[in-house]
Coordinates of all heavy atoms in Angstrom, one line a residue:
M581 N -6.6 -17.5 4.5 CA -7.6 -16.7 5.2 C -8.7 -16.1 4.2 O -8.3 -15.7 3.1 CB -6.9 -15.5 5.8 CG -7.9 -14.5 6.4 SD -7.0 -13.0 7.1 CE -8.2 -11.8 6.7
Q582 N -9.9 -16.3 4.5 CA -11.0 -15.7 3.7 C -12.0 -15.2 4.7 O -12.4 -15.9 5.6 CB -11.6 -16.7 2.8 CG -10.8 -17.0 1.6 CD -11.6 -17.8 0.6 OE1 -12.7 -18.2 0.8 NE2 -10.9 -18.1 -0.5
R583 N -12.4 -13.9 4.6 CA -13.6 -13.4 5.4 C -14.2 -12.2 4.7 O -13.5 -11.5 4.0 CB -13.1 -13.1 6.8 CG -12.4 -11.8 7.0 CD -12.3 -11.5 8.5 NE -11.5 -10.3 8.7 CZ -11.9 -9.0 8.6 NH1 -13.1 -8.7 8.2 NH2 -11.1 -8.1 8.9
L584 N -15.5 -12.1 4.9 CA -16.1 -10.9 4.4 C -15.6 -9.6 5.1 O -15.2 -9.7 6.3 CB -17.7 -11.0 4.6 CG -18.3 -12.1 3.7 CD1 -19.8 -12.2 4.1 CD2 -18.2 -11.8 2.2
L585 N -15.8 -8.5 4.5 CA -15.4 -7.3 5.1 C -16.4 -6.9 6.2 O -17.6 -7.2 6.1 CB -15.4 -6.1 4.1 CG -14.1 -5.9 3.3 CD1 -13.8 -7.1 2.4 CD2 -14.2 -4.7 2.4
G586 N -15.9 -6.4 7.3 CA -16.8 -5.9 8.4 C -17.5 -4.6 7.9 O -17.2 -4.1 6.9
A587 N -18.4 -4.1 8.7 CA -19.2 -3.0 8.3 C -18.3 -1.7 8.0 O -18.5 -1.1 7.0 CB -20.2 -2.6 9.4
S588 N -17.4 -1.4 8.9 CA -16.6 -0.2 8.6 C -15.6 -0.5 7.5 O -15.3 0.5 6.7 CB -15.8 0.2 9.9 OG -14.9 -0.8 10.3
E589 N -15.1 -1.7 7.3 CA -14.2 -2.0 6.2 C -15.0 -1.9 4.9 O -14.5 -1.4 3.9 CB -13.7 -3.4 6.4 CG -12.7 -3.5 7.5 CD -12.5 -5.0 8.0 OE1 -13.3 -5.9 7.6 OE2 -11.5 -5.2 8.6
H590 N -16.2 -2.4 4.9 CA -17.1 -2.3 3.7 C -17.4 -0.9 3.3 O -17.3 -0.5 2.2 CB -18.4 -3.1 3.9 CG -19.1 -3.4 2.7 ND1 -20.2 -2.6 2.3 CD2 -19.0 -4.3 1.7 CE1 -20.7 -3.0 1.2 NE2 -20.0 -4.0 0.8
T591 N -17.7 -0.1 4.3 CA -17.9 1.4 4.1 C -16.7 2.0 3.5 O -16.8 2.8 2.5 CB -18.3 2.1 5.4 OG1 -19.5 1.4 5.9 CG2 -18.6 3.5 5.2
A592 N -15.5 1.8 4.0 CA -14.3 2.3 3.5 C -14.0 1.9 2.1 O -13.6 2.6 1.2 CB -13.1 2.0 4.4
W593 N -14.3 0.6 1.8 CA -14.1 0.0 0.5 C -15.1 0.7 -0.5 O -14.6 1.1 -1.6 CB -14.4 -1.5 0.5 CG -14.3 -2.2 -0.8 CD1 -13.2 -2.5 -1.5 CD2 -15.4 -2.6 -1.6 NE1 -13.5 -3.1 -2.7 CE2 -14.9 -3.2 -2.8 CE3 -16.8 -2.5 -1.5 CZ2 -15.7 -3.7 -3.8 CZ3 -17.6 -3.1 -2.4 CH2 -17.0 -3.7 -3.6
L594 N -16.3 0.9 -0.1 CA -17.3 1.6 -1.0 C -16.9 3.0 -1.3 O -16.9 3.5 -2.4 CB -18.7 1.6 -0.4 CG -19.4 0.2 -0.4 CD1 -20.7 0.3 0.4 CD2 -19.7 -0.2 -1.9
H595 N -16.4 3.7 -0.2 CA -16.0 5.1 -0.4 C -14.8 5.2 -1.3 O -14.7 6.0 -2.2 CB -15.6 5.7 1.0 CG -15.3 7.1 0.9 ND1 -14.0 7.6 0.6 CD2 -16.1 8.2 1.1 CE1 -14.0 8.9 0.6 NE2 -15.2 9.3 0.9
D596 N -13.9 4.2 -1.2 CA -12.7 4.2 -2.0 C -13.0 4.0 -3.5 O -12.4 4.5 -4.4 CB -11.7 3.2 -1.6 CG -10.4 3.2 -2.3 OD1 -9.7 4.2 -2.2 OD2 -10.1 2.2 -3.1
R597 N -14.0 3.2 -3.8 CA -14.5 3.0 -5.1 C -15.0 4.2 -5.8 O -14.8 4.5 -7.0 CB -15.5 1.9 -5.2 CG -14.9 0.5 -4.9 CD -16.0 -0.6 -4.8 NE -16.7 -0.6 -6.1 CZ -16.9 -1.7 -6.8 NH1 -16.4 -2.8 -6.5 NH2 -17.6 -1.6 -7.9
D598 N -15.7 5.1 -5.0 CA -16.3 6.3 -5.5 C -15.3 7.5 -5.5 O -15.2 8.2 -6.4 CB -17.5 6.6 -4.6 CG -18.3 7.8 -5.2 OD1 -18.5 7.9 -6.4 OD2 -18.6 8.7 -4.3
R599 N -14.6 7.6 -4.3 CA -13.6 8.7 -4.2 C -12.4 8.2 -3.5 O -12.3 8.2 -2.3 CB -14.3 9.8 -3.3 CG -15.4 10.6 -4.0 CD -15.7 11.9 -3.3 NE -16.6 12.6 -4.1 CZ -17.9 12.6 -3.8 NH1 -18.4 11.9 -2.8 NH2 -18.7 13.3 -4.6
P600 N -11.5 7.7 -4.3 CA -10.3 7.1 -3.7 C -9.5 8.0 -2.8 O -9.4 9.2 -3.2 CB -9.4 6.6 -4.9 CG -10.4 6.6 -6.0 CD -11.5 7.6 -5.7
L601 N -9.0 7.6 -1.7 CA -8.2 8.3 -0.8 C -6.8 7.7 -0.9 O -6.6 6.6 -0.6 CB -8.7 8.3 0.6 CG -10.0 8.8 0.9 CD1 -10.5 8.6 2.3 CD2 -10.0 10.3 0.7
H602 N -5.8 8.5 -1.3 CA -4.5 8.0 -1.4 C -3.6 8.8 -0.4 O -3.9 9.9 0.0 CB -3.9 8.3 -2.9 CG -4.8 7.7 -3.9 ND1 -4.7 6.3 -4.2 CD2 -5.7 8.2 -4.7 CE1 -5.5 6.0 -5.1 NE2 -6.2 7.1 -5.5
F603 N -2.6 8.1 0.0 CA -1.7 8.8 1.0 C -0.2 8.3 0.7 O 0.0 7.3 0.0 CB -2.0 8.4 2.4 CG -1.9 6.9 2.7 CD1 -0.7 6.4 3.2 CD2 -2.9 6.0 2.5 CE1 -0.5 5.1 3.5 CE2 -2.7 4.7 2.7 CZ -1.5 4.2 3.3
V604 N 0.7 9.2 1.1 CA 2.1 8.9 1.0 C 2.8 9.2 2.3 O 2.4 10.1 3.0 CB 2.7 9.8 -0.1 CG1 4.2 9.6 -0.2 CG2 2.1 9.6 -1.5
L605 N 3.7 8.3 2.7 CA 4.5 8.5 3.9 C 5.9 8.8 3.5 O 6.5 8.1 2.7 CB 4.4 7.3 4.8 CG 5.3 7.3 6.0 CD1 4.8 8.3 7.0 CD2 5.3 5.9 6.6
T606 N 6.5 9.9 4.0 CA 7.8 10.3 3.6 C 8.7 10.3 4.9 O 8.1 10.5 6.0 CB 7.9 11.6 2.9 OG1 7.5 12.6 3.8 CG2 7.1 11.6 1.7
A607 N 10.0 10.1 4.7 CA 10.9 10.2 5.9 C 12.2 10.8 5.3 O 12.6 10.5 4.2 CB 11.1 8.9 6.5
Q608 N 12.8 11.6 6.2 CA 14.2 12.0 5.9 C 15.1 11.2 6.7 O 15.0 11.1 7.9 CB 14.3 13.5 6.2 CG 15.7 14.0 5.9 CD 15.8 15.5 6.1 OE1 14.9 16.2 6.6 NE2 17.0 16.1 5.9
I609 N 16.1 10.6 6.0 CA 17.0 9.6 6.6 C 18.4 10.1 6.3 O 18.8 10.4 5.2 CB 16.8 8.2 6.1 CG1 15.3 7.8 6.3 CG2 17.8 7.2 6.7 CD1 14.9 6.5 5.7
A610 N 19.2 10.2 7.4 CA 20.6 10.6 7.3 C 21.4 9.3 7.3 O 21.2 8.4 8.0 CB 21.0 11.5 8.4
G611 N 22.5 9.3 6.4 CA 23.4 8.2 6.4 C 22.9 7.2 5.4 O 22.0 7.3 4.6
E612 N 23.6 6.1 5.4 CA 23.4 5.0 4.4 C 22.4 4.0 5.0 O 22.4 3.7 6.2 CB 24.7 4.4 4.0 CG 25.6 5.3 3.3 CD 26.5 4.6 2.3 OE1 26.3 3.4 2.0 OE2 27.5 5.2 1.8
I613 N 21.6 3.4 4.1 CA 20.7 2.4 4.5 C 20.8 1.2 3.5 O 21.0 1.4 2.3 CB 19.2 2.9 4.4 CG1 19.0 4.0 5.4 CG2 18.2 1.8 4.5 CD1 17.6 4.5 5.4
D614 N 20.8 0.0 4.1 CA 20.9 -1.2 3.3 C 19.5 -1.5 2.8 O 18.6 -1.8 3.6 CB 21.5 -2.3 4.1 CG 21.7 -3.6 3.3 OD1 21.1 -3.8 2.3 OD2 22.6 -4.3 3.7
V615 N 19.3 -1.5 1.5 CA 18.0 -1.7 0.9 C 17.5 -3.1 1.3 O 16.3 -3.3 1.5 CB 18.0 -1.5 -0.7 CG1 16.7 -2.0 -1.3 CG2 18.3 -0.1 -1.0
T616 N 18.4 -4.1 1.4 CA 18.0 -5.4 1.8 C 17.4 -5.4 3.2 O 16.4 -6.1 3.4 CB 19.3 -6.4 1.7 OG1 19.8 -6.3 0.4 CG2 18.9 -7.8 2.0
D617 N 18.0 -4.6 4.1 CA 17.4 -4.6 5.4 C 16.0 -3.9 5.4 O 15.2 -4.4 6.1 CB 18.4 -3.7 6.3 CG 19.7 -4.4 6.7 OD1 19.7 -5.7 6.5 OD2 20.6 -3.7 7.1
V618 N 15.8 -2.9 4.6 CA 14.5 -2.3 4.5 C 13.5 -3.3 3.9 O 12.4 -3.4 4.5 CB 14.6 -1.0 3.6 CG1 13.2 -0.4 3.4 CG2 15.5 0.0 4.2
K619 N 13.9 -4.0 2.9 CA 13.0 -5.0 2.3 C 12.6 -6.1 3.3 O 11.5 -6.5 3.5 CB 13.6 -5.7 1.1 CG 13.6 -4.7 -0.1 CD 14.2 -5.5 -1.3 CE 14.2 -4.5 -2.5 NZ 14.8 -5.2 -3.7
R620 N 13.6 -6.5 4.1 CA 13.4 -7.5 5.1 C 12.5 -7.0 6.2 O 11.6 -7.7 6.7 CB 14.8 -8.0 5.7 CG 14.7 -9.2 6.6 CD 16.0 -9.7 7.1 NE 17.0 -9.6 6.1 CZ 18.2 -8.9 6.2 NH1 18.5 -8.3 7.3 NH2 19.1 -8.9 5.2
S621 N 12.7 -5.7 6.6 CA 11.8 -5.1 7.6 C 10.4 -5.0 7.1 O 9.4 -5.3 7.9 CB 12.3 -3.7 7.9 OG 13.6 -3.8 8.5
L622 N 10.2 -4.7 5.9 CA 8.8 -4.6 5.3 C 8.2 -6.0 5.3 O 7.0 -6.1 5.6 CB 8.8 -4.0 3.9 CG 9.0 -2.5 3.8 CD1 9.2 -2.1 2.3 CD2 7.9 -1.8 4.4
L623 N 8.9 -7.0 5.0 CA 8.4 -8.4 5.0 C 8.0 -8.8 6.4 O 7.0 -9.4 6.6 CB 9.4 -9.3 4.4 CG 9.0 -10.7 4.1 CD1 7.8 -10.8 3.2 CD2 10.1 -11.5 3.6
C624 N 8.8 -8.4 7.4 CA 8.5 -8.7 8.8 C 7.2 -8.0 9.2 O 6.4 -8.7 9.9 CB 9.6 -8.3 9.7 SG 11.1 -9.4 9.6
V625 N 7.0 -6.8 8.9 CA 5.8 -6.1 9.2 C 4.6 -6.7 8.5 O 3.6 -6.9 9.2 CB 5.9 -4.6 8.8 CG1 4.6 -3.9 8.8 CG2 6.9 -3.8 9.6
Q626 N 4.8 -7.1 7.3 CA 3.7 -7.8 6.5 C 3.3 -9.1 7.2 O 2.2 -9.5 7.3 CB 4.1 -8.0 5.1 CG 3.0 -8.4 4.2 CD 3.4 -8.4 2.7 OE1 4.5 -8.5 2.4 NE2 2.4 -8.3 1.9
Q627 N 4.3 -9.8 7.6 CA 4.1 -11.1 8.3 C 3.4 -10.9 9.6 O 2.6 -11.8 10.1 CB 5.4 -11.9 8.5 CG 6.0 -12.4 7.2 CD 5.0 -13.2 6.3 OE1 4.4 -14.1 6.8 NE2 4.9 -12.9 5.1
K628 N 3.7 -9.9 10.3 CA 3.1 -9.6 11.7 C 1.7 -9.2 11.6 O 0.9 -9.5 12.5 CB 4.0 -8.6 12.4 CG 3.5 -8.3 13.8 CD 4.4 -7.5 14.6 CE 3.9 -7.3 16.0 NZ 4.9 -7.0 16.9
H629 N 1.3 -8.4 10.6 CA 0.0 -7.8 10.5 C -0.9 -8.5 9.5 O -0.6 -8.3 8.3 CB 0.1 -6.3 10.3 CG 0.8 -5.6 11.3 ND1 0.2 -5.3 12.6 CD2 2.1 -5.1 11.4 CE1 1.1 -4.7 13.3 NE2 2.2 -4.6 12.7
P630 N -1.9 -9.3 9.9 CA -2.7 -10.1 8.9 C -3.3 -9.3 7.7 O -3.3 -9.8 6.6 CB -3.8 -10.7 9.8 CG -3.2 -10.6 11.2 CD -2.4 -9.4 11.2
L631 N -3.8 -8.1 8.0 CA -4.4 -7.4 6.8 C -3.4 -7.0 5.8 O -3.8 -6.7 4.6 CB -5.2 -6.2 7.3 CG -6.5 -6.6 8.1 CD1 -7.2 -5.3 8.6 CD2 -7.4 -7.4 7.2
L632 N -2.1 -6.9 6.1 CA -1.1 -6.6 5.1 C -0.8 -7.8 4.3 O 0.0 -7.7 3.3 CB 0.2 -6.0 5.8 CG 0.0 -4.7 6.5 CD1 1.3 -4.3 7.2 CD2 -0.4 -3.6 5.5
R633 N -1.4 -8.9 4.6 CA -1.2 -10.2 3.8 C -2.5 -10.6 3.1 O -2.6 -11.7 2.8 CB -0.7 -11.3 4.7 CG 0.6 -11.1 5.5 CD 1.0 -12.3 6.2 NE 0.0 -13.0 7.0 CZ -0.1 -12.8 8.3 NH1 0.6 -11.9 9.0 NH2 -1.1 -13.5 9.0
T634 N -3.3 -9.6 2.9 CA -4.6 -9.9 2.2 C -4.8 -8.9 1.1 O -4.2 -7.9 0.9 CB -5.8 -9.8 3.2 OG1 -5.9 -8.4 3.7 CG2 -5.7 -10.7 4.4
R635 N -5.8 -9.3 0.3 CA -6.3 -8.4 -0.8 C -7.8 -8.6 -0.8 O -8.4 -9.5 -0.2 CB -5.7 -8.7 -2.1 CG -6.0 -10.1 -2.6 CD -5.1 -10.4 -3.9 NE -5.4 -11.7 -4.3 CZ -6.2 -12.0 -5.4 NH1 -6.8 -11.1 -6.0 NH2 -6.4 -13.3 -5.7
I636 N -8.5 -7.6 -1.4 CA -10.0 -7.7 -1.5 C -10.4 -8.2 -2.9 O -9.9 -7.7 -3.9 CB -10.6 -6.3 -1.2 CG1 -10.3 -5.9 0.2 CG2 -12.1 -6.4 -1.4 CD1 -10.7 -4.5 0.6
V637 N -11.2 -9.2 -2.9 CA -11.8 -9.8 -4.1 C -13.3 -9.8 -3.9 O -13.8 -9.7 -2.8 CB -11.3 -11.2 -4.5 CG1 -9.8 -11.2 -4.7 CG2 -11.7 -12.2 -3.4
I638 N -14.0 -9.9 -5.0 CA -15.5 -10.0 -5.0 C -15.8 -11.5 -5.1 O -15.4 -12.2 -6.0 CB -16.1 -9.2 -6.2 CG1 -15.6 -7.8 -6.2 CG2 -17.6 -9.3 -6.1 CD1 -15.9 -7.0 -5.0
D639 N -16.6 -12.0 -4.2 CA -17.0 -13.4 -4.2 C -18.1 -13.7 -5.1 O -18.6 -12.8 -5.8 CB -17.3 -13.9 -2.7 CG -18.6 -13.4 -2.2 OD1 -19.3 -12.7 -2.9 OD2 -18.8 -13.7 -1.0
K640 N -18.5 -15.0 -5.2 CA -19.6 -15.4 -6.1 C -20.9 -14.7 -5.9 O -21.8 -14.6 -6.7 CB -19.7 -16.9 -6.1 CG -20.1 -17.5 -4.8 CD -20.1 -19.0 -4.8 CE -20.5 -19.5 -3.4 NZ -20.0 -20.8 -3.1
N641 N -21.1 -14.2 -4.6 CA -22.3 -13.5 -4.3 C -22.2 -12.0 -4.4 O -23.0 -11.2 -3.9 CB -22.8 -13.8 -2.8 CG -23.1 -15.3 -2.7 OD1 -23.7 -15.9 -3.5 ND2 -22.6 -15.8 -1.6
E642 N -21.1 -11.6 -5.1 CA -20.8 -10.2 -5.4 C -20.5 -9.4 -4.1 O -20.8 -8.2 -4.0 CB -21.8 -9.5 -6.3 CG -21.9 -10.2 -7.6 CD -22.8 -9.5 -8.6 OE1 -23.0 -8.3 -8.4 OE2 -23.3 -10.1 -9.6
Q643 N -20.0 -10.0 -3.1 CA -19.6 -9.4 -1.8 C -18.1 -9.3 -1.8 O -17.4 -10.2 -2.1 CB -20.1 -10.2 -0.6 CG -21.6 -10.3 -0.5 CD -22.2 -8.9 -0.2 OE1 -21.7 -8.2 0.6 NE2 -23.3 -8.6 -1.0
P644 N -17.6 -8.1 -1.3 CA -16.1 -8.0 -1.2 C -15.7 -8.8 0.0 O -16.3 -8.8 1.1 CB -15.9 -6.5 -1.0 CG -17.2 -6.0 -0.4 CD -18.3 -6.9 -1.0
M645 N -14.5 -9.5 -0.2 CA -14.0 -10.3 0.9 C -12.5 -10.2 0.9 O -11.9 -10.0 -0.1 CB -14.5 -11.7 0.9 CG -14.0 -12.5 -0.3 SD -14.8 -14.2 -0.3 CE -14.5 -14.8 1.3
F646 N -11.9 -10.4 2.1 CA -10.4 -10.5 2.2 C -10.0 -11.9 1.9 O -10.6 -12.9 2.3 CB -9.9 -10.2 3.6 CG -10.1 -8.8 4.0 CD1 -11.0 -8.4 5.0 CD2 -9.3 -7.8 3.5 CE1 -11.1 -7.1 5.4 CE2 -9.4 -6.5 3.9 CZ -10.3 -6.1 4.8
V647 N -8.9 -12.0 1.1 CA -8.3 -13.3 0.8 C -6.8 -13.2 0.9 O -6.3 -12.1 0.7 CB -8.7 -13.9 -0.6 CG1 -10.2 -14.2 -0.7 CG2 -8.2 -13.0 -1.7
S648 N -6.2 -14.3 1.3 CA -4.7 -14.2 1.5 C -3.9 -14.8 0.3 O -2.7 -14.7 0.3 CB -4.3 -14.9 2.8 OG -4.8 -16.2 2.8
E649 N -4.6 -15.4 -0.7 CA -4.0 -16.0 -1.8 C -3.6 -14.9 -2.8 O -4.3 -14.0 -3.0 CB -4.9 -17.0 -2.5 CG -5.2 -18.2 -1.7 CD -6.4 -18.0 -0.8 OE1 -7.3 -17.1 -1.2 OE2 -6.5 -18.6 0.2
G650 N -2.4 -15.0 -3.4 CA -2.0 -14.1 -4.5 C -1.6 -12.7 -4.0 O -1.7 -11.8 -4.8
V651 N -1.2 -12.6 -2.7 CA -0.8 -11.3 -2.2 C 0.7 -11.1 -2.4 O 1.5 -12.0 -2.1 CB -1.1 -11.2 -0.7 CG1 -0.7 -9.9 -0.1 CG2 -2.6 -11.4 -0.5
S652 N 1.0 -9.9 -2.9 CA 2.5 -9.6 -3.2 C 3.1 -9.0 -2.0 O 2.4 -8.6 -1.0 CB 2.5 -8.6 -4.3 OG 1.9 -9.0 -5.5
E653 N 4.4 -9.0 -2.0 CA 5.2 -8.3 -0.9 C 4.9 -6.8 -1.1 O 4.6 -6.3 -2.1 CB 6.7 -8.6 -1.1 CG 7.1 -10.0 -0.8 CD 8.6 -10.2 -0.9 OE1 9.3 -9.3 -1.2 OE2 9.0 -11.4 -0.8
I654 N 5.1 -6.1 0.0 CA 5.0 -4.7 0.0 C 6.0 -4.1 -0.9 O 7.2 -4.4 -0.7 CB 5.1 -4.1 1.4 CG1 4.0 -4.6 2.3 CG2 5.1 -2.5 1.4 CD1 4.1 -4.2 3.8
P655 N 5.7 -3.3 -1.9 CA 6.7 -2.9 -2.9 C 7.6 -1.8 -2.3 O 7.1 -1.0 -1.4 CB 5.8 -2.3 -4.0 CG 4.5 -2.0 -3.4 CD 4.3 -2.9 -2.3
L656 N 8.8 -1.7 -2.7 CA 9.7 -0.7 -2.3 C 10.4 -0.2 -3.6 O 10.9 -0.9 -4.4 CB 10.8 -1.3 -1.4 CG 11.9 -0.3 -1.0 CD1 11.4 0.8 -0.1 CD2 13.0 -1.1 -0.2
R657 N 10.3 1.1 -3.7 CA 11.0 1.8 -4.8 C 12.1 2.7 -4.3 O 11.8 3.5 -3.4 CB 9.9 2.6 -5.6 CG 10.2 2.8 -7.0 CD 9.0 3.3 -7.8 NE 8.4 4.5 -7.2 CZ 8.6 5.8 -7.7 NH1 9.4 6.0 -8.7 NH2 8.0 6.8 -7.1
V658 N 13.3 2.5 -4.7 CA 14.4 3.3 -4.3 C 14.9 4.2 -5.4 O 15.1 3.7 -6.5 CB 15.6 2.4 -3.8 CG1 16.8 3.2 -3.4 CG2 15.1 1.5 -2.7
L659 N 15.0 5.5 -5.1 CA 15.4 6.5 -6.2 C 16.6 7.3 -5.7 O 16.7 7.6 -4.5 CB 14.3 7.4 -6.5 CG 13.0 6.8 -6.9 CD1 11.9 7.9 -7.0 CD2 13.1 6.2 -8.3
E660 N 17.5 7.6 -6.6 CA 18.6 8.5 -6.3 C 18.0 9.9 -6.3 O 17.2 10.3 -7.2 CB 19.6 8.4 -7.4 CG 20.4 7.1 -7.4 CD 21.3 6.9 -6.2 OE1 21.8 8.0 -5.7 OE2 21.4 5.8 -5.7
R661 N 18.4 10.7 -5.3 CA 18.0 12.1 -5.2 C 18.6 12.9 -6.3 O 19.8 12.9 -6.5 CB 18.4 12.6 -3.9 CG 17.9 14.0 -3.6 CD 18.3 14.4 -2.2 NE 18.1 15.8 -2.0 CZ 18.3 16.4 -0.9 NH1 18.8 15.7 0.2 NH2 18.1 17.7 -0.7
R662 N 17.7 13.7 -7.1 CA 18.2 14.5 -8.2 C 18.5 15.9 -7.8 O 19.4 16.6 -8.3 CB 17.2 14.4 -9.3 CG 17.1 13.0 -9.9 CD 16.1 13.0 -11.1 NE 15.8 11.7 -11.4 CZ 14.7 11.3 -12.0 NH1 13.8 12.2 -12.3 NH2 14.5 10.0 -12.3
D663 N 17.6 16.5 -7.0 CA 17.7 17.9 -6.5 C 16.8 18.0 -5.3 O 16.2 17.1 -4.8 CB 17.3 18.9 -7.6 CG 15.9 18.6 -8.2 OD1 14.9 18.6 -7.4 OD2 15.7 18.5 -9.4
E664 N 16.8 19.3 -4.7 CA 16.1 19.5 -3.5 C 14.6 19.3 -3.6 O 13.9 19.0 -2.6 CB 16.3 21.0 -3.1 CG 17.7 21.3 -2.6 CD 18.1 20.5 -1.4 OE1 17.2 20.4 -0.5 OE2 19.2 20.0 -1.3
E665 N 14.0 19.4 -4.8 CA 12.5 19.3 -4.9 C 12.1 17.9 -5.5 O 10.9 17.7 -5.7 CB 12.0 20.4 -5.8 CG 12.2 21.8 -5.2 CD 11.5 21.9 -3.8 OE1 10.3 21.5 -3.7 OE2 12.1 22.5 -2.9
H666 N 13.1 17.0 -5.8 CA 12.8 15.8 -6.4 C 11.8 15.0 -5.6 O 10.9 14.4 -6.1 CB 14.1 15.0 -6.5 CG 13.9 13.6 -7.2 ND1 14.5 12.5 -6.7 CD2 13.3 13.3 -8.3 CE1 14.2 11.5 -7.4 NE2 13.4 11.9 -8.4
W667 N 11.9 15.0 -4.2 CA 11.0 14.2 -3.4 C 9.6 14.7 -3.5 O 8.6 13.9 -3.5 CB 11.5 14.2 -1.9 CG 11.3 15.5 -1.2 CD1 12.2 16.5 -1.2 CD2 10.2 15.9 -0.5 NE1 11.7 17.5 -0.4 CE2 10.4 17.1 0.0 CE3 9.0 15.2 -0.1 CZ2 9.5 17.8 0.8 CZ3 8.1 15.9 0.7 CH2 8.3 17.2 1.2
C668 N 9.4 16.0 -3.7 CA 8.1 16.6 -3.9 C 7.4 16.1 -5.2 O 6.2 15.7 -5.1 CB 8.1 18.1 -3.9 SG 8.7 18.9 -2.4
R669 N 8.1 16.0 -6.2 CA 7.6 15.5 -7.5 C 7.2 14.0 -7.3 O 6.2 13.6 -7.9 CB 8.6 15.7 -8.6 CG 8.8 17.2 -9.0 CD 9.6 17.4 -10.2 NE 11.0 16.8 -10.2 CZ 12.0 17.4 -9.7 NH1 11.9 18.7 -9.2 NH2 13.2 16.8 -9.7
E670 N 8.1 13.3 -6.6 CA 7.8 11.8 -6.4 C 6.6 11.6 -5.6 O 5.8 10.7 -5.8 CB 9.0 11.1 -5.8 CG 10.1 11.0 -6.8 CD 9.7 10.2 -8.1 OE1 9.0 9.2 -7.9 OE2 10.2 10.6 -9.2
V671 N 6.4 12.4 -4.5 CA 5.2 12.3 -3.7 C 4.0 12.6 -4.5 O 3.0 11.9 -4.4 CB 5.3 13.3 -2.5 CG1 3.9 13.5 -1.8 CG2 6.3 12.8 -1.5
E672 N 4.0 13.6 -5.3 CA 2.9 14.0 -6.2 C 2.6 12.8 -7.2 O 1.4 12.4 -7.4 CB 3.2 15.2 -7.0 CG 2.0 15.7 -7.8 CD 2.2 17.1 -8.5 OE1 3.0 17.9 -7.9 OE2 1.7 17.3 -9.5
R673 N 3.6 12.2 -7.7 CA 3.4 11.1 -8.6 C 2.8 9.9 -7.9 O 1.8 9.2 -8.4 CB 4.7 10.7 -9.2 CG 4.6 9.6 -10.4 CD 6.0 9.3 -11.0 NE 6.7 8.3 -10.3 CZ 6.3 7.0 -10.3 NH1 5.2 6.6 -10.8 NH2 7.0 6.1 -9.7
E674 N 3.3 9.6 -6.7 CA 2.7 8.5 -5.9 C 1.3 8.7 -5.5 O 0.5 7.8 -5.4 CB 3.6 8.3 -4.7 CG 4.9 7.6 -4.9 CD 4.8 6.2 -5.4 OE1 3.8 5.5 -5.0 OE2 5.7 5.7 -6.1
L675 N 0.9 9.9 -5.2 CA -0.5 10.2 -4.9 C -1.5 9.9 -6.0 O -2.7 9.7 -5.7 CB -0.6 11.7 -4.4 CG -0.1 12.0 -3.0 CD1 -0.1 13.5 -2.8 CD2 -0.9 11.3 -2.0
H676 N -1.0 9.8 -7.2 CA -1.9 9.5 -8.3 C -2.0 8.0 -8.6 O -2.7 7.5 -9.5 CB -1.5 10.2 -9.5 CG -1.7 11.7 -9.4 ND1 -0.8 12.6 -9.0 CD2 -2.9 12.4 -9.7 CE1 -1.3 13.8 -9.0 NE2 -2.6 13.7 -9.4
Q677 N -1.2 7.2 -7.8 CA -1.2 5.7 -8.0 C -2.3 5.1 -7.1 O -2.4 5.4 -5.9 CB 0.1 5.1 -7.6 CG 1.3 5.6 -8.4 CD 1.1 5.3 -9.9 OE1 0.8 4.1 -10.2 NE2 1.4 6.2 -10.8
P678 N -3.1 4.2 -7.7 CA -4.1 3.5 -6.8 C -3.4 2.7 -5.7 O -2.3 2.2 -5.9 CB -4.8 2.6 -7.8 CG -4.3 2.9 -9.1 CD -3.1 3.7 -9.0
F679 N -4.0 2.6 -4.6 CA -3.5 1.9 -3.5 C -3.5 0.4 -3.7 O -4.3 -0.2 -4.2 CB -4.3 2.2 -2.2 CG -3.7 1.5 -1.0 CD1 -2.5 1.8 -0.5 CD2 -4.5 0.6 -0.3 CE1 -2.0 1.1 0.6 CE2 -4.0 -0.1 0.8 CZ -2.8 0.2 1.3

């Protein structure tokens, strides 16, 4: 897949280059979770939604475009809980990572 960004996508891309907007999604989960199942679920979501299988590159005319080559799987980081505030520190750390 290759296509130029639409008008709103291009505007969001330009805004992100000037003032990046980062977000974090958290969830409290009770019980045990199989990490393999979570990874499989993320892969299913990525396969279902085309934009999750793309990245933005600059073409030869210096226009940003979506391409599907060289796209990684959605990353998953699993951490052992250290204390009650551990998740807050991790959220803060993640907010400083580029999307």
